[in-house]
Amino acid sequence: MPSKTKYIFVTGGVTSSLGKGIISASLAKLLQARGFSVAIQKLDPYINVDPGTLNPYEHGECFVTNDGAETDLDLGHYERFLNVPTSQDNNVTTGRIYQSVINKERRGDYLGKTVQVIPHITNEIKEHILKLGKNGSYDVVITEIGGTVGDIESLPFIESIRQLKWDLHERVLFIHLTLIPYLSTSGELKTKPTQHSVKTLLEYGVQPDILVCRTEHHLDQDLRKKIALFCNVDVSCVIESIDAKTIYEVPLLMQEEKLDEVVCKKLNINGSPDPDLHKWNRFLTNFNQPESDIHIALVGKYVELKDSYLSIAEALIHAGAKNKTKVIIHWIHSSKLDKENNVGKLLHKVSGIIVAPGFGSRGIEGKINAIKYARENNIPFLGICLGMQCAVIEFARNVLNMKDANSTEINLTTKNPVISMMEEQKKLKNMGGTMRLGAYHCKIKKDTLLSKIYKEPTIQERHRHRYEFNNKYLDEFENNGVVFSGKNTKNQLMETFEIPQHPWFIGVQYHPEYKSTVENPHPLFVSFVKASLHAAKNSVETAVLSSK
Ligand code: GLN
């Protein structure tokens, strides 16, 4: 058992979607700024072994770690806030816990015993929670419990953290995130739902130490006192979390409310009294005071739910701030672009086009049409994963004249399978966790746009795919002006696709969005936004010239 690591548990009450992930990440940021090493993990109460098999409409984006874990999107927030990579150990679901316990039972590890929720499932959960702190590399481990207190599914998790309090005593702290609703008819903030939520937690044996209260209006001192009195916490431990303009302001709002201070006091740790947030503040200044704005289209088939493309949207925010520009995203449903005469109507206002990752055939033709428009009109284009594959198809059809070119994911019998299933994927039967996942090396060709952007001969980027460029067509593409500027030299997989005659046209088989953070915006997105700004300026100049 680790000797010093402190454990903070964040639960949620009253309703879902209160932003536990952002509060956890903000607290972690403040503790990190005080000089502590901090890790965050998420426990998800659903039965899927991981979110990799979920449709984005169900649960938003699936975030992929360096070690190839398909995880909850909150891990993306953790990385973007802390600038530290996460791994398989930072996310566990009920499904994975049960899978592990059942495997142990089959192996005979519990021979002679009845296997039960308590102690077998709870022990497995506790073991998982403590794993991150085990080698002593973290001063603080923050654990976010998914779901809302009172849900049937989250009970074993709450029971596990109750037990951990008794195992680790003052090294454990409970933070409960709750909602203080505002009744507009009477003009009042109401505390009752919070009182009930804390009562439910108390029934399970957990007394929260700190309450973080989501609210649309400021909490006055009397209201804070009332909450403190009914919920058995100090008044200083009633923390207001008012709606923020951007999630990136939340660490500062939490600092104003002294969340980090009360946490340090309760856990009996000090750290630097003067948190170092200068990089964070520099980002916020650029974000809040942009010198220009830029319109970018994000073409995808899940655009109704913005969380489906969360990391891409955040990477654009980081890259925008770096360019002192506000990025205005136009979320465009790919199936709206299926008819070619819609394309110009929907895309003429934008100065850059991103075609998003995805699976299956819905909206594919729209994506291909958007790419054709970007290629023919010199509009900066970034294709990510399926977006890159569509760029290959578009080039094959419209430049190389292979009218039926396709991916075998979309059309198994095409005569020109320019994108085809990777060899190692063909023999797989299970869908869960079997894609080509995680970070792989990619070698960059000299004197290409990619080499100018990365300024490194070899990079590592994260992947999540089953299909790849079909090397049978390599010569034909290269002889017609395409440059495959990034390559995995181990398996000859073409990682990137460039058209040098175009001002900025790049498709990447990998997912650069997963690696962009506030303090380290991704160079590909930074360059794409810069190129889009340039394109916007050029088109204004052309318009002025032609009106003279
Ligand atoms: N469906 C494609 C593949 O599996 C692309 C995946 C993606 O965009 N993440 O290769």
Side-chain angles (χ1 to χ4, degrees):
M1 188 151 294
S3 55
K4 295 234 174 56
T5 306
K6 313 275 182 180
Y7 292 89
I8 300 174
F9 296 101
V10 181
T11 55
V14 183
T15 168
S16 59
S17 306
L18 288 183
K20 283 195 296 282
I22 301 297
I23 292 296
S24 304
S26 300
L27 172 60
K29 185 77 217 166
L30 292 175
L31 294 175
Q32 188 191 51
R34 283 175 174 256
F36 295 112
S37 60
V38 192
I40 323 183
Q41 61 185 340
K42 171 127 194 229
L43 310 182
D44 272 313
Y46 52 76
I47 314 284
N48 303 62
V49 172
D50 61 44
T53 52
L54 293 176
N55 179 321
Y57 289 133
E58 290 278 317
H59 207 63
E61 164 190 280
C62 170
F63 187 81
V64 179
T65 57
N66 279 333
D67 63 349
E70 296 178 287
T71 68
D72 186 80
L73 56 73
D74 273 330
L75 270 77
H77 289 311
Y78 306 162
E79 290 201 11
R80 288 186 282 273
F81 275 55
L82 293 187
N83 208 28
V84 174
T86 54
S87 74
Q88 180 82 58
D89 291 341
N90 298 67
N91 190 201
V92 73
T93 66
T94 294
R96 196 138 74 90
I97 295 286
Y98 270 80
Q99 190 181 47
S100 171
V101 168
I102 290 169
N103 286 343
K104 285 181 182 167
E105 187 273 335
R106 292 290 81 186
R107 241 186 4 236
D109 291 10
Y110 312 117
L111 271 189
K113 290 268 179 271
T114 309
V115 180
Q116 295 180 301
V117 172
I118 304 171
H120 300 96
I121 295 296
T122 47
N123 280 352
E124 191 73 25
I125 295 173
K126 282 160 69 179
E127 212 173 282
H128 191 93
I129 290 171
L130 297 176
K131 207 167 166 185
L132 275 180
K134 210 142 215 164
N135 55 13
S137 44
Y138 295 110
D139 301 314
V140 182
V141 172
I142 300 178
T143 305
E144 179 192 343
I145 319 277
T148 308
V149 164
D151 292 348
I152 291 175
E153 288 116 327
S154 56
L155 268 178
F157 291 104
I158 306 285
E159 168 60 15
S160 304
I161 65 175
R162 182 194 71 78
Q163 292 179 17
L164 277 173
K165 175 78 187 172
W166 291 102
D167 295 341
L168 302 174
H169 306 285
E170 69 286 349
R171 283 167 53 204
V172 166
L173 189 77
F174 294 127
I175 297 181
H176 189 54
L177 178 61
T178 167
L179 176 72
I180 309 290
Y182 178 74
L183 290 192
S184 53
T185 40
S186 57
E188 272 179 300
L189 285 166
K190 304 305 270 182
T191 65
K192 197 73 85 189
T194 296
Q195 296 176 37
H196 281 297
S197 172
V198 170
K199 264 202 191 112
T200 308
L201 259 183
L202 285 170
E203 269 172 39
Y204 303 148
V206 171
Q207 165 65 56
D209 299 288
I210 295 171
L211 293 173
V212 176
C213 305
R214 280 297 305 272
T215 172
E216 287 169 45
H217 297 272
H218 288 293
L219 309 180
D220 65 25
Q221 203 53 22
D222 284 346
L223 199 103
R224 289 179 196 241
K225 277 190 191 150
K226 184 174 173 188
I227 296 170
L229 179 70
F230 278 103
C231 300
N232 327 316
V233 297
D234 299 330
V235 187
S236 63
C237 294
V238 177
I239 305 289
E240 169 191 289
S241 170
I242 197 134
D243 292 353
K245 244 191 5 236
T246 149
I247 53 169
Y248 298 115
E249 259 171 16
V250 178
L252 304 186
L253 293 175
M254 289 302 104
Q255 192 181 29
E256 266 168 43
E257 281 288 301
K258 301 190 168 48
L259 174 63
D260 52 330
E261 227 178 281
V262 285
V263 163
C264 288
K265 208 159 123 206
K266 291 251 161 207
L267 284 175
N268 208 8
I269 50 178
N270 294 317
S272 154
D274 186 19
D276 178 10
L277 288 166
H278 78 273
K279 281 190 184 159
W280 191 269
N281 285 326
R282 196 187 317 139
F283 158 81
L284 270 181
T285 310
N286 288 342
F287 175 80
N288 286 326
Q289 294 158 22
E291 289 165 6
S292 53
D293 55 32
I294 188 77
H295 294 259
I296 303 281
L298 178 49
V299 179
K301 71 167 175 177
Y302 305 112
V303 290
E304 305 90 330
L305 183 72
K306 310 269 181 292
D307 272 359
S308 309
Y309 304 112
L310 187 62
S311 293
I312 298 178
E314 298 304 321
L316 283 172
I317 289 178
H318 307 154
K322 184 81 184 169
N323 281 289
K324 299 201 163 105
T325 297
K326 180 176 179 189
V327 177
I328 300 160
I329 302 179
H330 296 238
W331 303 83
I332 298 182
H333 203 293
S334 42
S335 53
K336 283 204 181 134
L337 300 169
D338 278 352
K339 288 201 191 75
E340 220 178 327
N341 54 0
N342 261 346
V343 179
K345 260 189 263 163
L346 287 166
L347 294 175
H348 79 278
K349 275 201 190 125
V350 303
S351 306
I353 297 174
I354 295 184
V355 172
F359 297 86
S361 58
R362 187 167 63 104
I364 276 286
E365 295 304 320
K367 289 184 173 177
I368 293 170
N369 288 338
I371 296 167
K372 180 167 184 260
Y373 183 82
R375 186 176 55 77
E376 292 180 341
N377 293 287
N378 284 338
I379 300 169
F381 164 77
L382 174 61
I384 302 177
C385 207
L386 182 64
M388 180 256 198
Q389 298 175 353
C390 288
V392 168
I393 299 169
E394 190 278 323
F395 196 87
R397 286 186 190 174
N398 299 321
V399 181
L400 305 181
N401 243 328
M402 302 173 193
K403 292 295 167 216
D404 73 331
N406 219 327
S407 161
T408 51
E409 180 180 8
I410 317 297
N411 178 359
L412 250 184
T413 56
T414 172
K415 282 201 203 68
N416 284 300
V418 286
I419 301 291
S420 59
M421 191 180 259
M422 284 179 276
E423 226 22 72
E424 77 254 24
Q425 288 285 325
K426 290 184 181 155
K427 48 186 180 293
L428 297 174
K429 295 228 162 49
N430 284 348
M431 295 296 278
T434 56
M435 278 189 248
R436 178 170 179 260
L437 291 165
Y440 287 95
H441 283 287
C442 163
K443 198 162 177 329
I444 299 182
K445 211 180 211 153
K446 276 194 197 138
D447 302 324
T448 56
L449 179 54
L450 206 71
S451 69
K452 279 195 203 99
I453 292 170
Y454 280 94
K455 299 185 180 73
E456 281 174 89
T458 310
I459 53 164
Q460 266 214 344
E461 292 280 4
R462 301 181 195 174
H463 297 75
R464 185 172 187 246
H465 64 123
R466 292 189 203 279
Y467 296 82
E468 64 179 340
F469 175 73
N470 183 347
N471 280 337
K472 227 174 75 190
Y473 294 90
L474 189 61
D475 287 346
E476 217 166 336
F477 274 79
E478 285 186 335
N479 293 340
N480 284 281
V482 166
V483 172
F484 291 93
S485 48
K487 191 162 114 181
N488 182 318
T489 47
K490 269 207 180 126
N491 57 4
Q492 303 306 308
L493 185 134
M494 297 305 144
E495 291 276 13
T496 70
F497 172 101
E498 274 185 36
I499 303 181
Q501 295 91 331
H502 187 285
W504 207 104
F505 190 104
I506 297 184
V508 288
Q509 184 55 77
Y510 52 78
H511 291 260
E513 70 275 20
Y514 293 142
K515 279 180 81 171
S516 186
T517 70
V518 166
E519 290 170 14
N520 246 335
H522 196 288
L524 207 49
F525 283 91
V526 174
S527 173
F528 170 72
V529 169
K530 198 168 168 196
S532 306
L533 274 169
H534 197 71
K537 206 169 134 236
N538 279 352
S539 78
V540 171
E541 277 165 11
T542 320
V544 171
L545 276 180
S546 60
S547 69
K548 274 185 183 164

